[in-house]
Amino acid sequence: MGKPALDLSKLTADEKLDLIDDLWRSLSSDDLPLSSELRAELDRRLDRLELEGPIGVPWEDVRAEMTAGKP
C-alpha cells in the first residue's frame, strides 16, 4: 500500500471522523467475511434483541456514575 494521497495531519478531528464514517459505509458485506461461528453468534444476538427489545443502561445513568464525586 502506497502513501495516501490525502495528508491526514492537516485534517481536523471532525474531518477525520467523517472520513472514517465514509470508509466504513463504503464497505460491503462481502468485504467483511464472517466465520460460521461469528455469524451464528450475531444471529443469536439479533434473535434475543427481537424477543427482549433493547436492554442496557441509559447514557445519562452511565455518565452520572462516571462523574460521581468529581468536582
Side-chain angles (χ1 to χ4, degrees):
M1 184 171 166
K3 186 175 179 174
L6 180 61
D7 185 355
L8 300 175
S9 67
K10 295 190 190 256
L11 296 177
T12 66
D14 284 339
E15 291 170 332
K16 289 176 184 177
L17 290 170
D18 286 342
L19 179 58
I20 291 169
D21 187 50
D22 289 344
L23 288 169
W24 182 254
R25 290 174 188 272
S26 74
L27 294 171
S28 72
S29 59
D30 293 336
D31 295 324
L32 304 167
L34 301 175
S35 66
S36 58
E37 294 84 8
L38 184 54
R39 171 64 64 196
E41 176 63 15
L42 292 173
D43 288 341
R44 184 191 67 77
R45 291 181 184 194
L46 283 173
D47 290 343
R48 183 175 173 192
L49 179 63
E50 287 177 9
L51 284 174
E52 299 176 6
I55 56 174
V57 179
W59 168 244
E60 294 78 16
D61 295 348
V62 174
R63 183 173 179 90
E65 184 177 327
M66 290 172 41
T67 58
K70 292 186 179 182

